[in-house]
């Protein structure tokens, strides 16, 4: 009898550590509730597959996603702690880091350039063909303006002298181009695909990412993922779990655009399934994390800083800007 009781006691002691395990069977891993912010349009495309996984309860942590319509809404949510992780334009992320004294960190690079030059006609086949033309665009004082100016300047054209640039709000620019009221416009996806679907006389003349690569030593990086620094410091494993899922989400989007396009529309990132599917290739999704981020991003930040230091918050972010998983 005593031997039996002793044996039962040993078994009970051996089983005790299992009580500390979570549902995944990993001891000491806490399942968290994490709020994530993203933007409608091209910046939010990368998250759609993951949003569906979270909605179906298929992720280890519990994610609540909110789709915002403007970058300043996302930055406000980050600063207030309403969200812990968010997708942002690159320059907005850099400026937020500097102005908040390091309250956020860069967690991943999620997309290269999304800008394309459209023409109502068939005369523009190189940057040189833009001489003495007027380019209508969006993004005055922000990334699109600085990217366009850099490409023009590196090709020997002076903005405002050799090329006239006129700025419009996004919706107004798309409407003007779709209606055939302007000849040349630079705009991002999915606006590009939407305009092409409305006017068959408009064509995609130049891919600005390709044009950037031709005159630059570093890639054009337009969308990134950021995390609140306090959250990353307290929960580095949770951030790494999210990044792994975000990478999978990007891979699924690139390899299965038809399926993910339905999710993109479902979550109102892009309202139309056909437009979403056709826009995915032009969104130039990628995934770069860890120590590879700084060398990939620094050249673009240097161009932005040279154009206007305020566009990145007054300084090129230091090495603490980058979350490397430690």
């Amino acid at each position: 009898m005593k031997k039996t009781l002793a044996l039962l006691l040993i078994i009970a002691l051996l089983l005790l550590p299992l009580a500390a395990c979570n549902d995944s069977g990993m001891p000491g891993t806490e399942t968290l509730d994490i709020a994530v912010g993203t933007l409608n349009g091209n910046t939010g495309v990368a998250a759609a597959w993951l949003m569906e996984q979270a909605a179906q309860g298929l992720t280890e942590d519990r994610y609540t996603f909110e789709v915002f319509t403007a970058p300043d809404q996302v930055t406000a949510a980050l600063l207030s702690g309403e969200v812990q992780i968010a997708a942002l334009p690159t320059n907005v992320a850099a400026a937020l880091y500097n102005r908040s004294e390091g309250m956020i960190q860069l967690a991943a690079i999620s997309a290269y350039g999304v800008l394309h030059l459209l023409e109502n006609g068939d005369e523009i086949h190189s940057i040189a063909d833009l001489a003495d033309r007027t380019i209508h665009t969006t993004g005055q004082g922000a990334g699109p303006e600085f990217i366009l100016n850099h490409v023009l300047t590196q090709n020997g054209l002076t903005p405002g002298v050799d090329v006239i640039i006129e700025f419009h709000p996004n919706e107004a620019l798309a409407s003007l181009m779709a209606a055939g009221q302007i000849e040349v416009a630079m705009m991002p996806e999915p606006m590009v695909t939407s305009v092409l679907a409305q006017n068959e006389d408009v064509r995609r003349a130049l891919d600005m990412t390709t044009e950037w690569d031709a005159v630059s030593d570093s890639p054009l990086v337009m969308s990134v993922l950021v995390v609140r620094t306090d959250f990353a410091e307290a929960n580095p494993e949770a951030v790494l779990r999210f990044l792994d899922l975000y990478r999978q989400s990007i891979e699924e989007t690139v390899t299965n655009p038809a399926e993910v396009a339905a999710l993109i529309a479902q979550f109102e990132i892009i309202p139309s399934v056909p437009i979403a599917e056709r826009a995915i290739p032009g969104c130039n999704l990628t995934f770069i994390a860890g120590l590879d981020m700084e060398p990939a991003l620094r050249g673009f930040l240097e161009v932005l800083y040279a154009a206007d230091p305020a566009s990145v918050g007054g300084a090129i972010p230091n090495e603490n800007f980058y979350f490397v998983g430690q």
Side-chain angles (χ1 to χ4, degrees):
M1 186 65 163
K2 291 182 179 179
K3 290 183 178 180
T4 302
L5 289 173
L7 180 59
L8 291 173
L9 180 60
I10 291 170
I11 293 172
L13 289 172
L14 290 172
L15 290 175
L16 276 177
L18 297 180
C21 297
N22 65 3
D23 293 338
S24 68
M26 293 297 291
T29 301
E30 182 184 1
T31 298
L32 301 178
D33 293 303
I34 302 172
V36 184
T38 191
L39 283 162
N40 64 353
N42 58 75
T43 306
V45 166
W49 179 87
L50 177 50
M51 291 170 73
E52 176 65 10
Q53 295 293 299
Q56 295 296 326
L58 300 176
T59 59
E60 183 175 339
D61 295 301
R62 293 176 293 272
Y63 304 115
T64 302
F65 284 85
E66 184 170 358
V67 179
F68 295 92
T69 58
D72 60 346
Q73 296 173 343
V74 184
T75 59
L78 280 163
L79 291 173
S80 69
E82 178 185 342
V83 301
Q84 289 81 50
I85 298 173
L88 282 172
T90 303
N91 64 299
V92 175
L96 180 59
Y97 172 79
N98 282 320
R99 291 168 182 163
S100 68
E101 298 182 348
M103 189 176 288
I104 59 102
Q105 287 183 293
L106 192 73
I109 292 170
S110 56
Y112 293 126
V114 297
L115 296 169
H116 301 260
L117 199 82
L118 301 185
E119 182 191 11
N120 190 352
D122 191 15
E123 296 180 359
I124 297 171
H125 299 277
S126 69
I127 295 295
D129 295 333
L130 293 171
D132 301 321
R133 305 293 292 266
T134 297
I135 302 174
H136 299 261
T137 186
T138 65
Q140 186 173 18
E145 178 182 4
F146 304 139
I147 292 164
L148 176 59
N149 287 349
H150 177 73
V151 170
L152 291 174
T153 301
Q154 293 300 307
N155 279 276
L157 298 176
T158 302
V161 178
D162 301 310
V163 181
I164 303 301
I165 302 173
E166 294 188 7
F167 294 94
H168 307 267
N170 284 348
E171 293 184 3
L173 177 63
S175 296
L176 288 169
M177 196 67 191
Q181 296 180 23
I182 55 178
E183 292 184 357
V184 182
M186 187 185 76
M187 62 183 68
E189 287 286 11
M191 286 173 56
V192 169
T193 298
S194 177
V195 168
L196 293 175
Q198 295 176 65
N199 188 336
E200 62 182 13
D201 293 327
V202 175
R203 69 181 187 90
R204 198 185 305 253
L206 299 173
D207 181 338
M208 293 303 291
T209 303
T210 301
E211 299 303 327
W212 173 280
D213 290 344
V215 295
S216 306
D217 296 328
S218 60
L220 176 56
V221 177
M222 293 193 69
S223 294
V224 297
L225 192 73
V226 303
V227 60
R228 280 183 59 99
T229 303
D230 56 0
F231 182 81
E233 290 176 347
N235 306 282
E237 296 86 359
V239 178
L240 291 173
R241 289 196 296 271
F242 183 86
L243 290 178
D244 186 55
L245 289 169
Y246 204 72
R247 175 188 56 77
Q248 291 181 52
S249 189
I250 289 172
E251 290 174 354
E252 288 290 335
T253 305
V254 172
T255 57
N256 299 302
E259 296 177 14
V260 178
L263 300 176
I264 292 170
Q266 174 186 322
F267 293 117
E268 300 182 347
I269 297 168
I270 297 174
S272 163
V273 175
I275 295 297
E277 183 177 356
R278 291 171 59 188
I280 285 171
C283 288
N284 280 328
L285 297 179
T286 188
F287 183 84
I288 302 172
L291 296 174
D292 294 329
M293 290 189 291
E294 184 173 8
L297 185 57
R298 188 169 182 85
F300 178 50
L301 293 178
E302 288 174 346
V303 170
L304 294 178
Y305 179 81
D308 181 6
S311 69
V312 292
I316 296 175
N318 59 27
E319 62 182 12
N320 294 329
F321 180 44
Y322 301 92
F323 170 80
V324 294
Q326 299 176 349

